[in-house]
Amino acid sequence: MTDLISLKGVQKYYGDYHALRDIDLTIRGGEFFSLLGPSGCGKTTLLRVIAGFEEVSDGTVVLSGRDMKGVPPNERPTNMVFQSYAIFPHLSVAQNVAFGLRKRKDIDKASRKSLVEEALKMVGLAGYGDRRAHALSGGQRQRVALARALVLKPKVLLLDEPMSALDRKMREHMQVELIRLQRHVGITFVLVTHDQEEALVMSDRIAVMFEGEIGQVDEPEALYRRPKSRRVAEFIGKMNFLPARVTGIGPGATPVARPAAQDEVVPGRIPQSRAAVKLSGLMRRGGEPAADTPATPGEAMISLDIAGLGQAQVPMHQAPEGAREGEVAVGVRPETLAILFEGDQAPRHECPGTVDEVVYYGDMTYYDVRVKDVPQPLTIAMKNLMGRPVLEVGQSCRIGWDDRALVVF
Amino acid sequence: MSLRVYAIAYLIFLYAPIVLLPIFAFNDATIIAFPLSGVTTEWFGALVGNRSLQSALVNSLIIAGCTAVFATLLGICAARAGAMADYPGKRGITGFVMLPLVLPEIIVAVSLLVILRQVLGLDLGNWTIILAHVLICTPFSIAILNGAFGNLDPSMEEAALDLGCSRWEAFRLVTLPLVMPGIISSLLISFTISLDEFIIAFFLTGANPTLPVYIWGLLRFPAQLPIVMALGTILVGLSIILLTIAEIFRRRGITRSGGQDTGGFL
């Protein structure tokens, strides 16, 4: 795939407010790309920069090989689905869809009509052409907005929080439909959303943004499993964080020299009673490839001593540079921890704990479990499988964990 | 119960004088007093043959028409700037533009007279009245159009740009049709205000009086009083019709742009 959108060193200031900070980003042709972040992170501004509604303060925006400096929105190969859909209320559905076509001199009236019908059919609104905009539901408005943009066959379709006005059921339905539509038309979609679930479900790749900066660009699975920073991990899904110390890097690892007093004086992180750091066996345990986070053969492993949990080995690529020595944080997703019930397979590691809180979701139960020497209770997500009881607060239990599911920060 | 009594008393106070107008317009007597002596349309007939009255009416219509157009054009510019753009001191400027709304007309009239006659040494005529009427009508126009532009989703015009329109086309094809009810409402209300306005017209009128000024002149002749009543009846009827149409358009504009009714003049 070729780079269709390329942003280099893009800066945007509103007065003193630095809305976009040195954005470098490439989006490939045919990709479903999402800009994900909390409100005010600059994701919509970035979308509007691509659309041409905002001029960049510095940096370049290149769309399909052409520098977009000074190119107004009506001359860019992009079309947009607005958050409010912006369906023209004084026009019928068909007139809305035909609105952009009237500027195309190469399309005569008859083919314009058939293009409009084709576009309405594509979004499932065949026969709605004569309706007025105010007679449409939220989902139908969104479809009209999609048809109105897609009928122009843009190189890029920009979607600004298109699901935020829909109720939950409709939203889930439209997510699936939008993916199908994107596959069908093959146009690059750039979606802005604050809903991490939506981004994970729909995107080929996601850029996570914070405070005008891009935190990480990755495929959904990589973003979820190997977040490169703690704030990405915190924003996407739930994650438990535990204090830990790197004890060595292997195989054939050299022990990390440990400053004498350091492990005793970090308040609130690692209790003093914690067992002394040992250089554990630096070989990968077991022969099987790690299911969650496969270490490439021969890849170095980082040995850690985690507060409350003890020794663990994590493949090098799970730990970004800068988190490979000294005091680190270990992240573990609630669903990669397990409360052990009778008959469960023996986990790689286990430790005792006490149930602190139970949140029952029907299909899932979320437990907060206190583990000795772990500062915060661990959140554990358990599927409510047939015959599996729901534990009560105060019950003691055993927790299973797997060092292949750990991420180091 | 007491609230109902109050409401009825209030309505009588408000509308009794207006109700008296048509009653005496059809009364067959030159003296404005009860008891009524019979029904006649003589006074309305007298209106038709009156040359100077017709010239005053034509004058007033010209002034009101020009005032409505100019005030609305200014209102469109101000309201659009207020709704779409953000500029330093926006609140202060908006407030300043709205000020003539609460300025006593007599002050406006006297100061304009001084400026036009004494300072600039210009002759009075219809255009001086138009100038002054634009001054007092523009705030009304802005107030109405602010509602129309404020209810407009800013994405509408951006969507038009995105779909290939130039800025002017986006305004003409999308914004203008959406605020058109507000524009019509503004035209009608400005027209009505200008048509009924007396104080400024009285001060600034040249050789040809406007209709209200002409009516005031008639009052010096008691025998003409029923004719004034008849004329007043027509004017009240016309005003009510125009304001109703204006309000219908204003409300239609709000439904069309999908906004909330934030109040109007009626």
Side-chain angles (χ1 to χ4, degrees):
Chain A
M1 284 194 273
T2 52
D3 290 346
L4 186 63
I5 304 173
S6 162
L7 305 173
K8 282 202 184 68
V10 167
Q11 310 270 4
K12 178 72 190 173
Y13 294 91
Y14 294 106
D16 288 337
Y17 181 63
H18 202 171
L20 295 176
R21 298 161 190 258
D22 199 20
I23 301 285
D24 287 311
L25 184 66
T26 55
I27 298 172
R28 302 167 195 143
E31 193 170 35
F32 199 130
F33 194 91
S34 290
L35 298 169
L36 172 67
S39 51
C41 72
K43 54 192 190 299
T44 296
T45 306
L46 188 55
L47 194 78
R48 291 172 59 83
V49 159
I50 297 171
F53 293 122
E54 307 281 348
E55 277 291 324
V56 294
S57 307
D58 198 11
T60 57
V61 178
V62 176
L63 290 184
S64 66
R66 187 174 160 215
D67 191 342
M68 286 292 130
K69 193 173 174 59
V71 179
N74 49 341
E75 288 167 29
R76 296 196 180 201
T78 58
N79 280 115
M80 186 134 156
V81 172
F82 289 84
Q83 186 166 12
S84 63
Y85 308 139
I87 305 298
F88 304 134
H90 58 301
L91 302 177
S92 70
V93 168
Q95 285 171 324
N96 263 283
V97 177
F99 192 86
L101 288 173
R102 75 168 85 195
K103 297 291 290 179
R104 301 273 168 100
K105 294 282 179 284
D106 50 320
I107 298 168
D108 61 48
K109 229 175 173 180
S111 51
R112 193 195 296 174
K113 195 157 179 269
S114 70
L115 279 172
V116 168
E117 273 167 20
E118 203 179 297
L120 283 174
K121 202 172 151 195
M122 184 171 65
V123 296
L125 283 182
Y128 280 71
D130 292 332
R131 299 229 186 159
R132 287 260 152 191
H134 58 77
L136 299 176
S137 70
Q140 288 169 335
R141 278 161 188 262
Q142 190 189 47
R143 288 159 199 262
V144 175
L146 280 167
R148 187 174 70 177
L150 288 173
V151 76
L152 300 174
K153 304 206 163 47
K155 289 208 166 71
V156 184
L157 183 71
L158 306 167
L159 302 115
D160 185 10
E161 305 246 7
M163 312 289 186
S164 57
L166 304 179
D167 60 54
R168 191 190 163 89
K169 214 167 174 187
M170 195 63 196
R171 190 156 58 217
E172 284 170 4
H173 178 72
M174 283 311 290
Q175 284 173 4
V176 176
E177 201 142 308
L178 214 53
I179 300 169
R180 201 173 291 156
L181 196 62
Q182 197 264 340
R183 303 264 151 83
H184 175 68
V185 295
I187 290 172
T188 305
F189 279 30
V190 180
L191 173 85
V192 159
T193 179
H194 63 271
D195 184 341
Q196 38 125 341
E197 199 177 301
E198 187 171 296
L200 291 174
V201 167
M202 301 179 73
S203 323
D204 293 320
R205 286 195 309 149
I206 300 170
V208 188
M209 292 184 68
F210 300 101
E211 290 162 5
E213 288 175 317
I214 290 181
Q216 187 173 350
V217 182
D218 237 322
E219 287 162 15
E221 198 185 340
L223 205 60
Y224 187 80
R225 290 216 163 130
R226 290 186 293 282
K228 285 205 172 78
S229 66
R230 199 165 155 154
R231 61 179 182 175
V232 171
E234 275 170 340
F235 187 70
I236 298 190
K238 284 186 182 136
M239 193 170 251
N240 297 295
F241 294 99
L242 298 97
R245 172 182 294 122
V246 176
T247 55
I249 294 174
T254 46
V256 174
R258 189 161 62 86
Q262 199 185 331
D263 60 329
E264 276 87 28
V265 292
V266 183
R269 287 196 70 192
I270 301 167
Q272 290 188 339
S273 62
R274 191 171 54 88
V277 180
K278 283 184 217 149
L279 292 177
S280 56
L282 296 171
M283 307 301 291
R284 234 182 304 166
R285 287 195 192 170
E288 85 279 15
D292 277 352
T293 55
T296 41
E299 186 184 0
M301 302 293 280
I302 294 186
S303 296
L304 297 160
D305 186 41
I306 305 166
L309 295 184
Q311 306 298 323
Q313 275 76 43
V314 177
M316 200 65 141
H317 71 268
Q318 300 279 91
E321 270 177 69
R324 291 175 182 173
E325 58 178 7
E327 304 291 339
V328 293
V330 158
V332 55
R333 296 277 183 205
E335 68 278 7
T336 62
L337 293 169
I339 288 176
L340 300 176
F341 293 96
E342 234 170 283
D344 284 351
Q345 260 189 322
R348 282 163 73 96
H349 304 278
E350 59 173 282
C351 64
T354 316
V355 176
D356 203 45
E357 182 127 36
V358 181
V359 184
Y360 181 75
Y361 278 96
D363 58 337
M364 304 281 287
T365 305
Y366 277 76
Y367 295 98
D368 281 350
V369 179
R370 287 208 168 276
V371 176
K372 192 171 179 292
D373 294 337
V374 176
Q376 296 284 322
L378 294 175
T379 302
I380 302 175
M382 293 298 291
K383 264 218 160 82
N384 291 330
L385 297 180
M386 179 100 103
R388 184 179 274 177
V390 174
L391 298 184
E392 280 166 30
V393 175
Q395 247 179 300
S396 55
C397 59
R398 292 198 70 75
I399 298 170
W401 59 281
D402 191 321
D403 41 11
R404 292 168 300 185
L406 302 179
V407 188
V408 185
F409 299 106
Chain B
M1 193 57 210
S2 61
L3 193 67
R4 181 175 295 175
V5 171
Y6 168 76
I8 290 169
Y10 180 75
L11 286 176
I12 290 173
F13 173 73
L14 213 55
Y15 289 106
I18 297 174
V19 173
L20 285 180
L21 217 55
I23 290 176
F24 285 109
F26 288 102
N27 187 26
D28 189 10
T30 48
I31 298 157
I32 307 297
F34 288 106
L36 304 171
S37 50
V39 177
T40 178
T41 53
E42 182 197 338
W43 313 121
F44 287 91
L47 286 176
V48 179
N50 192 331
R51 266 295 171 85
S52 49
L53 174 108
Q54 282 167 6
S55 115
L57 179 68
V58 169
N59 245 356
S60 266
L61 289 177
I62 291 171
I63 290 169
C66 293
T67 301
V69 170
F70 287 127
T72 302
L73 280 177
L74 289 175
I76 290 172
C77 296
R80 185 181 149 85
M84 308 265 166
D86 226 356
Y87 46 87
K90 179 168 153 180
R91 273 176 164 274
I93 291 172
T94 311
F96 197 64
V97 168
M98 299 298 279
L99 198 62
L101 204 58
V102 291
L103 228 51
E105 276 185 35
I106 186 89
I107 306 284
V108 177
V110 170
S111 46
L112 272 172
L113 186 65
V114 168
I115 290 173
L116 292 170
R117 292 292 297 150
Q118 305 298 118
V119 180
L120 300 174
L122 298 169
D123 286 332
L124 298 176
N126 280 357
W127 71 271
T128 50
I129 303 176
I130 292 172
L131 197 73
H133 280 184
V134 168
L135 182 77
I136 56 164
C137 287
T138 303
F140 286 94
S141 169
I142 293 174
I144 295 163
L145 290 166
N146 263 345
F149 277 95
N151 277 327
L152 207 62
D153 177 2
S155 304
M156 288 291 175
E157 213 169 291
E158 287 188 343
L161 287 177
D162 189 65
L163 294 167
C165 288
S166 66
R167 288 220 164 258
W168 166 243
E169 283 171 327
F171 181 75
R172 188 171 57 86
L173 294 174
V174 173
T175 307
L176 210 53
L178 291 179
V179 297
M180 192 47 89
I183 291 175
I184 291 172
S185 167
S186 157
L187 283 173
L188 291 175
I189 284 180
S190 303
F191 186 87
T192 312
I193 291 171
S194 170
L195 197 66
D196 292 349
E197 203 284 328
F198 172 71
I199 300 173
I200 290 174
F202 181 68
F203 273 72
L204 298 181
T205 201
N208 309 310
T210 65
L211 198 57
V213 175
Y214 175 77
I215 292 172
W216 188 81
L218 282 186
L219 291 178
R220 279 174 297 175
F221 312 102
Q224 303 270 37
L225 217 51
I227 299 181
V228 176
M229 289 292 183
L231 190 56
T233 304
I234 293 172
L235 284 181
V236 166
L238 204 66
S239 296
I240 290 173
I241 291 169
L242 285 182
L243 288 175
T244 308
I245 295 172
E247 178 65 8
I248 288 169
F249 272 101
R250 195 187 66 82
R251 289 198 184 155
R252 184 184 292 176
I254 287 164
T255 5
R256 193 185 268 197
S257 56
Q260 287 289 310
D261 196 342
T262 47
F265 288 111
L266 289 178

